Amino acid sequence: MTVDQLAAAIDAYTWLDTQLAVFGPGVILAVGFQILWRLTWRTLDRLADAHDRINAARELLADTRPTDDTQPRKEK
């Protein structure tokens, strides 16, 4: 850990300690849970969107396959 990283960690700890002293642990926990809740739902929405895109791509690929045999038959 470099000196700058250590200073940043100390600053973050000091900021968190100040927030706890000003607002109290209940408010900090409530905000943390709200952020976690939003991130969870945002992640689930992104996963659902990716699932829909994959299904749409599969349907598109299924529609582009030839329905008839387009290769000429070889005579024996």
Side-chain angles (χ1 to χ4, degrees), residues 54-71:
I54 289 170
N55 285 340
R58 286 181 179 161
E59 289 176 11
L60 181 63
L61 286 173
D63 290 342
T64 58
R65 294 184 184 146
T67 56
D68 296 331
D69 188 10
T70 58
Q71 299 295 325

Side-chain angles (χ1 to χ4, degrees), residues 20-67:
L20 284 171
V22 171
F23 297 110
V27 173
I28 301 301
L29 284 174
V31 170
F33 281 132
Q34 184 179 14
I35 291 170
L36 182 63
W37 183 259
R38 287 183 181 180
L39 290 176
T40 300
W41 282 108
R42 184 176 295 165
T43 302
L44 290 175
D45 285 342
R46 287 181 180 173
L47 287 173
D49 186 45
H51 185 264
D52 292 342
R53 288 182 184 185
I54 289 170
N55 285 340
R58 286 181 179 161
E59 289 176 11
L60 181 63
L61 286 173
D63 290 342
T64 58
R65 294 184 184 146
T67 56

Side-chain angles (χ1 to χ4, degrees), residues 2 7 15 28 42 74:
T2 66
W15 177 84
I28 301 301
R42 184 176 295 165
K74 294 183 180 178

